[in-house]
Amino acid sequence: MSLLIGIVGLPNVGKSTLFNALTKNKAEASNYPFCTIDPNIGVVKVPDERLEKLAEISKPKKIIPTVIEFVDIAGLVKGAHKGEGLGNKFLANIRECDAICEVVRNFEDNNITHVAGRIDPEEDKETINIELIMADLATVEKRLAKVSKEAKSGDKELIKLKKILEPLKALLETGKPARELNIPDDDKYLVKELSLLSAKPVIYVLNNSSQAKVNLNWDGELINLDIKQEEEIAGLEEKEQKEFIEELGLSDSGLNKLIKASYKLLGLITFFTTGPDETRAWTIKAGAKAPEAAGVIHTDFEKGFIRAEVIKYEDFIKVNGEKAAREQGLIKAEGKEYIIKDGDICHFLHS
């Protein structure tokens, strides 16, 4: 399952530095706008302490975490929806993402210029959001004009789409994102093809120059990070990372919190397989049924699905492995309608 989170923001706010810290890849991070013209894509493992605990019991040859992908997208500027600052190219890159991680600057540094000449997180956040909303408005207006003519034929699908696009256009005109429009789940497919930017789920990263936390009433989860410090932590060996984090009086790195929050933002859960060969975490959308989970491992497993043998993570840990879980009746046989739960340990039987 390949799902992308686009890292967006104004130039010089810390996007590429955040990307470097997340992926340990050295995307160029220079003090000038548009230094990142082609998006950098990095695969990032999702921290999950459960994986290590399962491996302690199963003693596998390999441990494989689940991952998500982050895309470092060059800085947007005011007027991007009109093509300013290579805006069309960058908006297209965002359109390909499943969710947005918006980095907002809240640090002073005379050596790193701010495109607006001042530090104002609220204004910076609004600048980016308005660009996404205005780009969506142009898309919706164009589609609505076409649908309004075509709906005169009496086509029920087109009439339904017109009834969604009209309030959506009105919402965008007020400067509010498309995600605020309550569209019934059964009708969301009608606007999915538009790939609206402001409909994507969003998480905000406020880049502070210290551990100071700032609370802002924004329309998404807000994570305070000292991105430069996080990059330094990420560059250490794993043992040194833990020691440094403890010295700071923290339970986890800010990056790990961001990765976990991003994973949740995408509506993802994790299930596991474990044994002597490997202990592995797998990604699936929340609400997925057992055959779909089997298909994540191999498409043939979904086609020939018979049943799933499921152990709850807590039970596996409590009784110290599969053998005891089976003896104590803690392994449940589940059919095609079973909805996979986060933390389930699964073995799929197939034809």
Side-chain angles (χ1 to χ4, degrees):
M1 177 179 291
S2 180
L3 293 168
L4 300 176
I5 296 180
I7 302 175
V8 306
L10 296 175
N12 299 337
V13 297
K15 299 182 308 302
S16 292
T17 304
L18 176 61
F19 179 82
N20 292 343
L22 283 165
T23 64
K24 296 188 180 179
N25 291 333
K26 291 300 176 184
E28 185 178 3
S30 302
N31 179 27
Y32 57 91
F34 317 124
C35 69
T36 312
I37 293 178
D38 292 315
N40 297 279
I41 299 177
V43 178
V44 179
K45 70 177 182 180
V46 178
D48 196 328
E49 58 278 1
R50 296 175 298 182
L51 194 63
E52 296 297 330
K53 290 180 180 178
L54 290 174
E56 286 175 10
I57 294 172
S58 297
K59 295 179 172 49
K61 297 173 184 174
K62 293 187 294 183
I63 302 173
I64 305 176
T66 190
V67 298
I68 53 176
E69 292 182 332
F70 282 87
V71 186
D72 181 23
I73 297 172
L76 289 174
V77 294
K78 202 168 186 176
H81 70 282
K82 298 177 183 177
E84 296 291 333
L86 304 179
N88 291 334
K89 178 180 176 62
F90 300 153
L91 290 172
N93 290 333
I94 298 171
R95 206 175 297 281
E96 294 171 1
C97 297
D98 299 285
I100 294 171
C101 172
E102 187 171 323
V103 182
V104 182
R105 177 172 171 173
N106 193 41
F107 66 88
E108 296 281 356
D109 190 329
N110 293 331
N111 295 317
I112 302 177
T113 59
H114 188 291
V115 289
R118 65 183 181 279
I119 305 303
D120 188 336
E122 286 280 5
E123 185 175 326
D124 289 0
K125 176 251 187 187
E126 279 307 303
T127 296
I128 296 298
N129 288 358
I130 287 298
E131 292 305 321
L132 302 185
I133 289 167
M134 294 305 292
D136 284 347
L137 181 58
T139 300
V140 170
E141 285 177 335
K142 184 177 179 181
R143 187 74 178 100
L144 181 57
K146 185 178 180 183
V147 167
S148 295
K149 294 178 182 178
E150 295 174 341
K152 293 177 181 177
S153 66
D155 186 295
K156 291 182 179 179
E157 288 286 282
L158 292 174
I159 293 171
K160 188 187 291 186
L161 176 56
K162 182 173 179 287
K163 288 181 178 179
I164 293 174
L165 291 177
E166 287 172 339
L168 180 54
K169 176 176 176 288
L171 178 72
L172 294 169
E173 286 174 335
T174 66
K176 293 182 178 179
R179 57 183 166 271
E180 289 192 13
L181 186 66
N182 185 20
I183 302 174
D185 289 342
D186 292 344
D187 294 335
K188 286 181 178 177
Y189 72 94
L190 291 165
V191 292
K192 187 176 180 181
E193 64 175 291
L194 298 178
S195 297
L196 298 176
L197 303 171
S198 68
K200 299 179 186 297
V202 63
I203 189 167
Y204 296 99
V205 170
L206 193 65
N207 187 7
N208 294 307
S209 56
S210 68
Q211 292 298 322
K213 289 190 176 182
V214 180
N215 294 316
L216 298 166
N217 187 25
W218 290 353
D219 62 330
E221 184 172 354
L222 175 67
I223 294 180
N224 285 268
L225 285 185
D226 181 340
I227 293 177
K228 193 64 180 174
Q229 184 180 77
E230 293 294 334
E231 185 183 35
E232 292 171 4
I233 293 172
L236 300 173
E237 295 295 327
E238 193 167 327
K239 184 180 178 182
E240 292 176 320
Q241 283 186 30
K242 291 179 180 178
E243 291 173 353
F244 191 16
I245 291 167
E246 287 175 3
E247 286 176 9
L248 294 172
L250 303 173
S251 59
D252 204 353
S253 73
L255 283 186
N256 282 352
K257 291 176 183 176
L258 173 60
I259 295 167
K260 291 175 183 178
S262 300
Y263 193 71
K264 184 178 178 182
L265 183 71
L266 290 168
L268 303 175
I269 64 170
T270 300
F271 71 94
F272 302 97
T273 53
T274 189
D277 289 330
E278 70 174 31
T279 294
R280 183 164 182 168
W282 302 87
T283 298
I284 200 164
K285 280 281 188 180
K289 294 181 179 179
E292 187 178 343
V296 171
I297 298 174
H298 197 290
T299 53
D300 288 347
F301 289 10
E302 183 173 8
K303 293 174 185 176
F305 179 88
I306 297 174
R307 68 178 182 275
E309 292 185 339
V310 180
I311 315 172
K312 300 301 179 188
Y313 168 79
E314 293 78 10
D315 289 339
F316 187 96
I317 298 298
K318 184 179 179 180
V319 301
N320 203 42
E322 182 179 337
K323 184 175 182 293
R326 192 175 295 278
E327 290 171 352
Q328 296 181 37
L330 297 174
I331 299 179
K332 307 296 182 184
E334 304 288 358
K336 292 182 178 180
E337 296 303 309
Y338 177 71
I339 296 175
I340 297 292
K341 310 295 190 305
D342 185 63
D344 278 354
I345 300 164
C346 301
H347 174 64
F348 298 105
L349 283 74
H350 58 94
S351 58

